[in-house]
Amino acid sequence: MIEYFNPSLYERDLGTPAREGAPVTVSIDGVSITVPEGTSLLRAASIAEINIPKLCASDNLEAFGSCRLCAVQVEGKRGYPAACTTPVEAGMQVTTYNAHLAKLRRNIMELYISDHPLDCLTCPANGDCELQDVAGDVGLREVRYGFDGENHISAEQDHSNPYFSFDPSRCILCSRCVRACDEVQGTFALTIDGRSFDSKVSPGQDQAFMDSECVSCGACVQACPTATLMEKSVIEQGQPDHSVITTCAYCGVGCSFKAKMKGNEVVRMVPYKGGAANHGHSCVKGRFAFGYATHKDRLTTPMIRDSIDQPWREVSWDEAITFAAERLKATQAKYGRESIGGITSSRCTNEETYLVQKLVRAAFGNNNTDTCARVCHSPTGYGLKTTLGESAGTQTFDSVMQTDTIIVIGANPTDAHPVFGSLMRRRLREGATLIVADPRRIDLLNTPHLKNGQHLPLRPGTNVALINALAHVVIDEGLEDHDFIKQRCDSEAYNAWREFIADARHSPEATESITGVPSADVRRAARSYATVNNGAIYYGLGVTEHSQGSTMVMGIANLALATGNIGREGVGVNPLRGQNNVQGSCDMGSFPHELPGYQHVADDVARSHFEAEWGVAIDHEPGLRIPNMFDAAIEGTFKALYVQGEDIAQSDPNTQHVEAALTSLDCLIVQDIFLNETAKFAHVLLPGSTFLEKDGTFTNAERRINRVRKVMPPLAGKEDWEITLALSEALGYPMHYDHPSDIMDEIARLTPTFTGVSFAKIDEQGSLQWPCNEEFPLGTPTMHEVDFPIGQGRFAITEYVATEERATRRFPLLLTTGRILSQYNVGAQTRRTANQVWHDEDILELHPSDAELRGVKDGDWLGITSRAGHTVLRAQLSERMQPGVVYTTFHHPGSGANVITTDSSDWATNCPEYKVTAVQVEKVSQPSKWQRRFDDFDRRQQEYLAAAQRDEAAGAGA
């Protein structure tokens, strides 16, 4: 019944989850309140701001009824029912406090306290302890039972986790931690072990937290009402004194957090219940891995040098900006207007990204702007724009709770998008069918209590053959949604596609030899998706990072259109964006052919709006993509590059080619928070700011625009948007903004899907999902409900073309890559936190049969060779892949994972084919030549940095 964002409801724990149903009116302590049917008395009272004591209850967990502190009296009912487990009934007369209830609650609390340390003044939870609060609420003043008998006061503590401690002496066995692990996270890592007095919370099989299946999401810590589970940061620093609501800067889920502060220092990050993307849940990165923001490696002073074989010189902001601007001007004067460009970052805010592309188009005078989305989700933009008319996912994350069959293709939600992975697991436990198409078996298939799970272990590079086979079954068996197709789709395009897909060469039987997936399994999967009420497809980089990435995205859209799974809750085509603002960086016009809002630079009308606002002429020809920039740099025609917050030297494929390009530049300006791999090739270092040091917005994978709020001043003195403004002014094109909200106002004036967006409206509504305009003033949770931006859905012909990267006698294995839960992207942030304890090196997973053929054992050093390069990684035997497939991550720069990935790319967008690289593997005893060069270069650049910092310190001391 709560339709609009009401922040006051998220400041309190209402005891039990919300329900949906017909309105029911009850009287609680004489107050009449109307709530949905099924609502508990505890929640109803809380909404009416009537306090009923509780310990085992929390509004993100189902009612448990163990503590009995919420006992109430209900007229006409015997005894004292627990308010948390008693649903409202029409006409109920409820009493929450009288002498009998008060005595009952005091007696219960006395029993709890009888086996609990009485050291409140020195307890780390002092001032933020529910047990302490409830003892005060019920008026407990003395405890008649001492500690002379058997107790748990000396129970052994567990400090194994780097982020939180477990002190069982303070545990009251409320089971909230166990239930949070089960119901919210879905890991089932905790249990209540033993019976009666011997009962205790146990990770795994009576293991330490670090030895158990715990994924350190923090749900148990957040649920604990005492100091049993407590962040080490709070133990060390004490309780925070204020908080600021902001948005996580890791993956594309876009979780909302309360940054709990002491002065300008973050004590802890607590997931915010009002966050529409995460509803108060989190993962190990967002919850705990924020220490990188104040790490000793942070760049805090601008630096310049004439060449990369020279030491750095620390300079003032003015000197650094002037140096950079003069270099850019000189380069254009010598090599021409097109000789320079810029790269935006998906880790920066919408406003900062918008300014960089504006800088390139207005101050540089060209369209040589691109973004890291080029190497991850550019095929999503192309494929969805072609078929559905909009370059974004169609649903909210919550939509999955209405889904009957979930297809996950080339994505690993529990590692790469863990909070959404937990939500998906909840739906699977409720009975939804799961189909995973991936060369590697992902953890989602191991969801506890999963009833219907199917793995289609296709060969890398055969995605399009598989999606065509699934669509063929739909047509062959008459499973298409004829009404939807007739009403919502272009008939000419559909007829052409139907004729194409009905061809026997697309049948599961014909494609089995290509994909390696048995035809019976493909037919079963197609029926599971096409015959249920709601089928949804979620996909990741395992779809887009292929030579046929754009074709595959169109194939996914074809399947959804054919079955009518578009335009309502529980269905849709849903790309899982990798970084926190990949969606936003695309929306903001970072691509060389598109202005903000995906308006083509060749569109005279759209371009004229920007020209009028910006006061300059804009080139109508698309500029260079990132791969084109690299090629042109090596050729000598592209000579200067401004990189905002993106580590292309580590993240882009064919590392040696990228390094050659960066070395060829006369001027590389890097704006970042650390001396990352790209910054080591730079001539100008401009210290960036983290998400904790800035204001702005991020847009997540569900098109949700969330506010980023500054919680501490930028360590280097400037926010990223201010740096870009300074550079633009030095180039002779001043931009005037007083605050990032002014930048968003300009975006809204120029971008049709953002015309209704403003900081004030986001603050009022909590978040907004674009399109947000006159037609949709409060945003659009579900896309394409009535029609498509292009009028009707357009089926596309998706011919399967085998990748050139195929196994050969020389390179008999296929390498595919992915991410791991504890690390993020290139690892620059997470490697500077305690997350290192889980994954301190990239390793190569290979099947035991492939290992046996090569005499390889766990832990052996393996040389991995492709046609692009050679590197060395440690071996880990795994049956998660089929024989012939090997797998690694790319979070550590020294691993050289992208030394071996090739320059093969998507035909439409140049998105690299990271997911298919033909390799050979053999045992070795020393690092590769590239790794030795990398170590030497890294050591030299670190020495240059240290020398500059020593010189600055010496000068300051003098």
Side-chain angles (χ1 to χ4, degrees):
M1 296 190 52
I2 302 169
E3 297 180 358
Y4 297 102
F5 179 73
N6 184 351
S8 66
L9 291 181
Y10 300 110
E11 300 301 322
R12 296 179 285 125
D13 190 324
L14 303 182
T16 59
R19 298 292 186 232
E20 295 181 1
V24 175
T25 300
V26 297
S27 175
I28 302 177
D29 290 345
V31 177
S32 179
I33 180 170
T34 301
V35 293
E37 183 181 11
T39 301
S40 72
L41 286 176
L42 180 60
R43 185 179 181 90
S46 298
I47 291 173
E49 298 190 6
I50 297 171
N51 179 55
I52 300 176
K54 58 181 171 35
L55 280 176
C56 72
S58 183
D59 57 13
N60 66 335
L61 304 172
E62 291 301 323
F64 195 55
S66 69
C67 77
R68 312 305 295 180
L69 282 161
C70 67
V72 294
Q73 281 187 322
V74 180
E75 187 176 297
K77 292 184 181 290
R78 296 178 58 187
Y80 303 96
C84 66
T85 57
T86 304
V88 295
E89 295 177 12
M92 263 186 172
Q93 302 288 320
V94 182
T95 299
T96 70
Y97 180 83
N98 57 33
H100 293 292
L101 290 169
K103 183 177 180 181
L104 174 63
R105 291 167 181 162
R106 279 195 299 273
N107 287 341
I108 292 171
M109 279 302 299
E110 191 175 7
L111 291 171
Y112 273 122
I113 299 301
S114 69
D115 191 15
H116 192 85
L118 299 178
D119 57 354
C120 290
L121 291 179
T122 57
C123 175
N126 185 29
D128 187 28
C129 173
E130 292 180 47
L131 186 68
Q132 188 181 60
D133 293 342
V134 173
D137 287 347
V138 304
L140 184 65
R141 298 294 176 260
E142 61 178 346
V143 179
R144 291 167 288 175
Y145 320 109
F147 296 141
D148 294 337
E150 197 172 2
N151 59 63
H152 298 91
I153 301 301
S154 300
E156 184 179 354
Q157 299 180 19
D158 178 0
H159 301 291
S160 62
N161 190 283
Y163 293 120
F164 60 83
S165 292
F166 175 52
D167 183 356
S169 72
R170 302 179 186 277
C171 181
I172 60 172
L173 289 172
C174 64
S175 293
R176 274 166 59 170
C177 61
V178 177
R179 290 150 55 212
C181 189
D182 296 354
E183 297 176 26
V184 179
Q185 170 57 28
T187 299
F188 290 77
L190 303 180
T191 187
I192 301 292
D193 190 26
R195 299 183 64 185
S196 188
F197 181 83
D198 293 327
S199 298
K200 63 178 181 179
V201 172
S202 174
Q205 299 298 311
D206 198 20
Q207 299 167 299
F209 268 88
M210 284 299 285
D211 297 329
S212 72
E213 293 181 346
C214 169
V215 293
S216 298
C217 69
C220 60
V221 179
Q222 188 170 354
C224 182
T226 70
T228 305
L229 287 158
M230 178 62 69
E231 297 101 324
K232 291 180 177 178
S233 59
V234 176
I235 295 173
E236 295 165 0
Q237 298 168 249
Q239 289 292 335
D241 54 33
H242 70 282
S243 64
V244 179
I245 297 171
T246 191
T247 303
C248 180
Y250 280 118
C251 78
V253 174
C255 294
S256 297
F257 278 86
K258 278 188 172 183
K260 296 278 191 173
M261 311 289 296
K262 262 195 170 181
N264 290 328
E265 189 169 354
V266 179
V267 176
R268 63 179 173 183
M269 297 289 284
V270 177
Y272 177 49
K273 290 193 300 180
N278 62 313
H279 303 295
H281 190 36
S282 61
C283 77
V284 63
K285 294 189 287 289
R287 183 71 158 87
F288 297 117
F290 55 85
Y292 71 88
T294 52
H295 194 273
K296 63 180 179 61
D297 290 350
R298 278 290 303 274
L299 298 173
T300 58
T301 305
M303 285 179 279
I304 61 175
R305 61 183 176 180
D306 290 317
S307 66
I308 66 172
D309 57 359
Q310 292 180 354
W312 291 102
R313 290 188 292 119
E314 290 194 347
V315 296
S316 67
W317 275 107
D318 286 345
E319 188 174 351
I321 294 294
T322 299
F323 181 90
E326 289 178 351
R327 282 287 188 108
L328 292 172
K329 291 176 183 176
T331 300
Q332 282 190 306
K334 183 175 181 179
Y335 295 100
R337 180 170 57 89
E338 297 289 336
S339 63
I340 68 175
I343 296 177
T344 73
S345 173
S346 293
R347 287 193 285 277
C348 289
T349 65
N350 287 316
E351 295 72 22
E352 291 161 349
T353 303
Y354 174 86
L355 287 190
V356 172
Q357 64 83 34
K358 180 178 179 179
L359 169 82
V360 172
R361 301 187 201 278
F364 290 8
N366 60 49
N367 287 317
N368 293 338
T369 175
D370 209 349
T371 182
C372 60
R374 171 70 54 206
V375 300
C376 62
H377 267 285
S378 50
T380 286
Y382 184 93
L384 295 187
K385 189 88 169 179
T386 301
T387 51
L388 307 182
E390 197 61 87
S391 304
T394 61
Q395 314 293 128
T396 64
F397 290 135
D398 287 350
S399 171
V400 76
M401 297 306 292
Q402 308 300 320
T403 304
D404 301 305
T405 293
I406 300 169
I407 297 183
V408 178
I409 309 177
N412 187 358
T414 56
D415 275 32
H417 303 85
V419 170
F420 177 61
S422 296
L423 187 66
M424 191 178 281
R425 276 184 155 164
R426 182 184 300 182
R427 181 58 185 153
L428 294 174
R429 292 196 302 274
E430 293 178 353
T433 295
L434 173 67
I435 299 164
V436 172
D438 200 293
R440 186 170 175 261
R441 184 178 178 87
I442 62 174
D443 287 338
L444 199 63
L445 287 158
N446 301 326
T447 295
H449 308 297
L450 172 64
K451 299 179 181 66
N452 302 297
Q454 186 180 1
H455 184 204
L456 307 179
L458 74 168
R459 294 190 182 105
T462 63
N463 285 348
V464 173
L466 178 65
I467 203 73
N468 284 347
L470 291 167
H472 178 91
V473 175
V474 170
I475 299 302
D476 184 53
E477 300 187 6
L479 304 179
E480 66 266 50
D481 187 332
H482 295 285
D483 289 340
F484 181 90
I485 294 168
K486 182 178 180 180
Q487 296 168 13
R488 301 286 308 276
C489 299
D490 182 281
S491 58
E492 184 177 344
Y494 168 67
N495 290 332
W497 174 79
R498 195 181 195 285
E499 182 180 357
F500 162 78
I501 209 70
D503 193 297
R505 65 195 169 96
H506 298 305
S507 71
E509 291 73 23
T511 57
E512 182 174 334
S513 61
I514 298 170
T515 66
V517 181
S519 58
D521 291 348
V522 175
R523 288 191 176 273
R524 175 187 162 201
R527 293 169 190 144
S528 295
Y529 173 72
T531 59
V532 296
N533 290 329
N534 293 330
I537 302 175
Y538 295 87
Y539 70 87
L541 304 186
V543 160
T544 55
E545 293 179 343
H546 285 272
S547 60
Q548 279 199 287
S550 293
T551 308
M552 180 60 179
V553 173
M554 291 188 288
I556 289 171
N558 288 341
L559 184 61
L561 289 169
T563 54
N565 280 307
I566 290 286
R568 63 182 185 278
E569 285 286 280
V571 299
V573 176
N574 305 281
L576 295 177
R577 304 282 185 165
Q579 297 186 65
N580 55 299
N581 203 34
V582 169
Q583 183 67 60
S585 68
C586 298
D587 299 341
M588 292 300 103
S590 294
F591 290 128
H593 67 294
E594 289 176 331
L595 295 159
Y598 306 99
Q599 301 171 87
H600 203 283
V601 294
D603 183 331
D604 293 341
V605 174
R607 197 175 65 256
S608 68
H609 295 155
F610 286 89
E611 290 176 335
E613 178 82 33
W614 294 354
V616 295
I618 300 172
D619 194 342
H620 67 281
E621 292 287 344
L624 298 176
R625 297 172 174 179
I626 290 175
N628 306 139
M629 294 181 191
F630 294 158
D631 291 342
I634 292 172
E635 291 168 3
T637 57
F638 186 81
K639 301 300 291 183
L641 180 62
Y642 171 45
V643 181
Q644 177 207 55
E646 187 57 34
D647 194 0
I648 51 179
Q650 185 180 344
S651 63
D652 283 43
N654 197 347
T655 299
Q656 295 179 93
H657 182 72
V658 177
E659 291 174 341
L662 296 179
T663 305
S664 300
L665 295 174
D666 286 350
C667 180
L668 173 61
I669 305 163
V670 171
Q671 183 174 317
D672 218 309
I673 60 176
F674 299 115
L675 184 74
N676 60 24
E677 305 317 305
T678 305
K680 293 170 187 174
F681 292 88
H683 305 90
V684 182
L685 276 183
L686 304 175
S689 53
T690 69
F691 77 110
L692 295 171
E693 303 160 67
K694 64 179 67 172
D695 284 294
T697 58
F698 292 150
T699 305
N700 75 351
E702 50 176 2
R703 295 170 284 105
R704 187 180 303 281
I705 308 165
N706 275 318
R707 282 278 280 113
V708 179
R709 296 180 177 90
K710 183 161 61 175
V711 305
M712 62 187 193
L715 296 187
K718 289 184 182 291
E719 298 177 40
D720 284 295
W721 66 277
E722 295 174 311
I723 301 171
T724 305
L725 289 189
L727 180 58
S728 187
E729 183 164 3
L731 288 169
Y733 182 77
M735 304 185 207
H736 303 289
Y737 309 98
D738 295 323
H739 187 268
S741 61
D742 299 336
I743 306 171
M744 178 54 75
D745 291 343
E746 180 173 308
I747 294 167
R749 290 194 296 270
L750 294 169
T751 309
T753 50
F754 275 68
T755 55
V757 178
S758 68
F759 278 32
K761 185 181 281 190
I762 296 171
D763 290 342
E764 175 187 306
Q765 298 297 322
S767 62
L768 295 168
Q769 289 176 269
W770 68 260
C772 180
N773 47 31
E774 288 185 3
E775 186 178 0
F776 306 104
L778 296 181
T780 312
T782 302
M783 295 275 279
H784 316 311
E785 289 184 322
V786 178
D787 55 16
F788 297 95
I790 50 175
Q792 294 180 311
R794 295 178 187 167
F795 287 83
I797 303 300
T798 54
E799 191 71 63
Y800 167 67
V801 178
T803 174
E804 294 180 2
E805 279 296 306
R806 62 192 75 181
T808 64
R809 291 180 62 184
R810 183 182 177 193
F811 301 118
L813 303 174
L814 292 179
L815 169 73
T816 190
T817 63
R819 300 181 180 186
I820 200 165
L821 172 63
S822 58
Q823 297 286 1
Y824 172 67
N825 201 262
V826 296
Q829 294 147 274
T830 44
R831 281 187 281 109
R832 290 173 170 90
T833 70
N835 280 28
Q836 278 288 86
V837 302
W838 287 286
H839 186 81
D840 61 357
E841 65 175 333
D842 294 317
I843 50 89
L844 186 77
E845 293 183 30
L846 72 164
H847 194 276
S849 64
D850 293 323
E852 185 177 5
L853 284 173
R854 294 162 175 79
V856 173
K857 296 184 176 63
D858 256 328
D860 284 349
W861 289 106
L862 296 180
I864 310 143
T865 306
S866 72
R867 62 181 173 88
H870 173 74
T871 194
V872 173
L873 297 173
R874 200 185 303 271
Q876 182 180 86
L877 273 57
S878 169
E879 294 188 359
R880 297 178 71 166
M881 303 82 56
Q882 57 191 310
V885 178
V886 294
Y887 171 88
T888 191
T889 51
F890 55 91
H891 304 301
H892 295 266
S895 68
N898 281 325
V899 171
I900 48 180
T901 53
T902 70
D903 53 8
S904 177
S905 65
D906 174 49
W907 62 271
T909 66
N910 281 131
C911 183
E913 191 168 36
Y914 292 107
K915 303 306 181 188
V916 192
T917 304
V919 298
Q920 178 59 286
V921 171
E922 58 186 346
K923 288 176 65 173
V924 296
S925 58
Q926 59 184 354
S928 69
K929 289 182 180 178
W930 178 88
Q931 286 169 315
R932 291 196 293 272
R933 289 199 310 271
F934 170 86
D935 288 340
D936 290 341
F937 184 64
D938 175 65
R939 184 167 50 253
R940 189 163 65 253
Q941 295 302 321
Q942 296 290 353
E943 288 172 354
Y944 290 158
L945 178 64
Q949 292 169 338
R950 284 196 303 270
D951 291 344
E952 179 68 17

